[in-house]
Amino acid sequence: MLKLKNVQYEDILKYPDIEIPETITTFICGESGSGKSTLLKLFNGVLSPSDGSIFYSGKALEEYDPIHLRQKILLVSQSVFLFDKSIKENFDEYRAYRGLDPLREEEIKRYLEICSVDLPLDSMCHVLSGGERQRVFLAINLSLHPKVLMMDEPTSALDDKNANTLMEQVKAHCKANQITLIVVSHDKDLAEIYADHVVTLSSGVRQ
């Protein structure tokens, strides 16, 4: 699905050659500063490598229209953007940008449940905690049916029980819908339980 070959970023990070298999769950693990979050941004073209090549479905990333690429490869980072509106209105806004019809309330609730969000649909997003905002944004992204979903430390604000619930439910949804799931996490226990494939970056990738 995704492949890195001789990739270097701004003379700071040099990555090993990496292949991400299709429609399974890959965890990207490693020490702080090893380039995990940067790698996700390279995968969907938010950042460009200073050297080397990145391929998606056999084609070099630069051959894709950037907007079209980011519709296929969605990134849920630790810092997310939500409109200063209700949860339902945020679902509606993001789907409208894609030319998609609004979801029924029961459908929105189903996506929120997958992402461990138990809040009324009229809850205003600007008053939510950072972890709640991240999970609401994750639910919105799931509703957009991406080919690849990338999550950067999605369980950092959760206790062990809720972290496991979130990962179990998101992985099951992605598997059922043929979505390739990529997770950056420092939690080795989560990776051991939920990863089908693991990419480990070390401090050695930094020059």
Side-chain angles (χ1 to χ4, degrees), residues 6-172:
N6 299 322
V7 166
Q8 189 165 323
Y9 177 68
E10 288 192 351
D11 299 323
I12 299 171
L13 292 164
K14 185 175 182 180
Y15 290 96
D17 292 349
I18 295 171
E19 294 190 13
I20 304 294
E22 189 173 7
T23 67
I24 66 172
T25 298
T26 295
F27 267 66
I28 299 173
C29 303
E31 303 168 7
S32 296
S34 59
K36 302 185 298 296
S37 297
T38 299
L39 180 58
L40 299 186
K41 294 175 182 177
L42 289 167
F43 277 149
N44 75 346
V46 171
L47 299 176
S48 298
S50 51
D51 198 10
S53 301
I54 304 174
F55 302 90
Y56 169 62
S57 292
K59 288 173 56 178
L61 246 56
E62 57 265 25
E63 295 182 41
Y64 290 91
D65 174 78
I67 294 176
H68 187 57
L69 178 71
R70 287 168 206 151
Q71 290 177 344
K72 291 178 176 292
I73 307 176
L74 297 183
L75 171 60
V76 180
S77 64
Q78 296 182 70
S79 176
V80 302
F81 177 80
L82 292 172
F83 300 98
D84 289 340
K85 298 182 178 183
S86 70
I87 291 174
K88 183 183 184 305
E89 288 170 326
N90 269 273
F91 269 84
D92 293 346
E93 288 272 5
Y94 272 98
R95 291 181 65 82
Y97 281 127
R98 292 289 189 88
L100 300 172
D101 292 333
L103 294 174
R104 299 189 304 273
E105 289 195 359
E106 56 266 32
E107 293 176 307
I108 295 176
K109 290 177 181 177
R110 179 170 61 86
Y111 283 111
L112 292 173
E113 183 179 0
I114 291 170
C115 298
S116 298
V117 179
D118 183 16
L119 293 168
L121 299 189
D122 60 359
S123 299
M124 299 303 292
C125 289
H126 68 275
V127 301
L128 303 182
S129 69
E132 288 170 336
R133 288 172 60 84
Q134 188 182 31
R135 295 195 301 280
V136 168
F137 190 68
L138 172 58
I140 292 170
N141 277 268
L142 282 179
S143 81
L144 300 175
H145 308 296
K147 293 293 185 181
V148 181
L149 178 68
M150 305 188 296
M151 304 193 299
D152 192 355
E153 299 287 1
T155 63
S156 59
L158 297 174
D159 59 32
D160 289 345
K161 179 181 178 181
N162 286 313
N164 277 278
T165 299
L166 175 70
M167 281 308 312
E168 181 178 350
Q169 293 178 166
V170 171
K171 178 175 179 175

